[in-house]
Amino acid sequence: KMVVPTLGSLVGGICSGISVPASGLLGPRSVRKGDGRRRWAMAENCIPGPLPATTTLLYAYLAAHYRVRIGDGRWLALVVGQPAPARLARAFPTGSMPLLTLITASNPQSQVQPAAANRAADAALRADLDALGQPVLRATATDADGDWKEPGWLVAGLDTATCDALARRYGQAGLLHWHAGEPVRLRMYRMRPATGHAHPGARWVDWTEGAAP
């Protein structure tokens, strides 16, 4: 996440003079399916929708498909609870990846935003990462059905405090953050819910906000 408040200004979606946040790994099926067209129309007109429940987001993030593009143009899959492919280590400079982070700046808190707002947020995030001097690779987060896709960045060597600050700066509900060579972990920025721990992937989830009452 981000330990430095000077990484750059948070670029949210700005429409008709109303500033809306601009980031979130992906949305739950209820956002994408039944009322998907209405949600996109609301986003284009800057009408906020309800925030998805934390447990719904947790299950969506655990089921999502994450990919990173390496230097030869190939895409490598990342799976929560499994180590990253060995080829990923060769895509970064030697010694640069004790920690790896996959972060996006689209659709904050899984609230659909206009495409222009998401592009601006992605560019602002990349500028912040460049300012930190950490090596990055293009990444994507896609829902299990392939209907919801968000661009992001895989960053090598980003410490946890900086990672957390970046996540909060860009309104993230969750991202991937793990030690190289170990299973990929999901990091959530909401109160830990009382339910959802029966999911087999729950052991690979880190909560930053403690437990809900």
Side-chain angles (χ1 to χ4, degrees):
K1 346 237 205 201
M2 252 194 107
V3 89
V4 195
T6 57
L7 282 179
S9 59
L10 167 59
V11 175
I14 300 201
C15 342
S16 303
I18 301 175
S19 177
V20 293
S23 161
L25 270 179
L26 71 167
R29 184 169 301 182
S30 61
V31 171
R32 293 176 281 112
K33 292 293 186 184
D35 61 348
R37 291 183 181 177
R38 182 177 64 84
R39 293 278 183 152
W40 284 108
M42 290 169 66
E44 292 301 329
N45 289 282
C46 296
I47 304 172
L51 291 178
T54 298
T55 301
T56 302
L57 280 179
L58 171 64
Y59 281 32
Y61 291 171
L62 289 172
H65 299 161
Y66 305 99
R67 298 195 307 156
V68 56
R69 187 174 61 198
I70 58 177
D72 61 6
R74 285 181 294 178
W75 290 86
L76 303 180
L78 301 175
V79 180
V80 175
Q82 298 182 18
R87 282 178 294 180
L88 184 60
R90 299 193 290 271
F92 286 110
T94 302
S96 68
M97 53 176 290
L99 282 168
L100 292 165
T101 304
L102 192 157
I103 183 171
T104 176
S106 299
N107 305 317
Q109 303 298 332
S110 292
Q111 292 269 279
V112 179
Q113 300 297 310
N118 284 334
R119 287 193 298 269
D122 181 65
L125 173 60
R126 176 58 193 265
D128 281 347
L129 295 173
D130 287 345
L132 288 170
Q134 305 299 135
V136 300
L137 296 172
R138 173 55 88 182
T140 63
T142 309
D143 74 295
D145 297 327
D147 297 326
W148 180 297
K149 181 178 180 180
E150 294 181 359
W153 302 98
L154 183 72
V155 193
L158 199 64
D159 64 82
T160 301
T162 303
C163 173
D164 289 346
L166 269 176
R168 294 185 175 107
R169 179 180 292 273
Y170 286 93
Q172 294 292 302
L175 47 69
L176 304 184
H177 183 67
W178 74 101
H179 289 271
E182 298 181 6
V184 175
R185 300 188 68 85
L186 172 65
R187 192 166 180 83
M188 295 291 291
Y189 296 89
R190 285 192 174 188
M191 295 292 291
R192 182 174 181 172
T195 60
H197 307 307
H199 191 290
R203 62 180 295 196
W204 309 113
V205 180
D206 299 310
W207 297 89
T208 63
E209 307 301 330

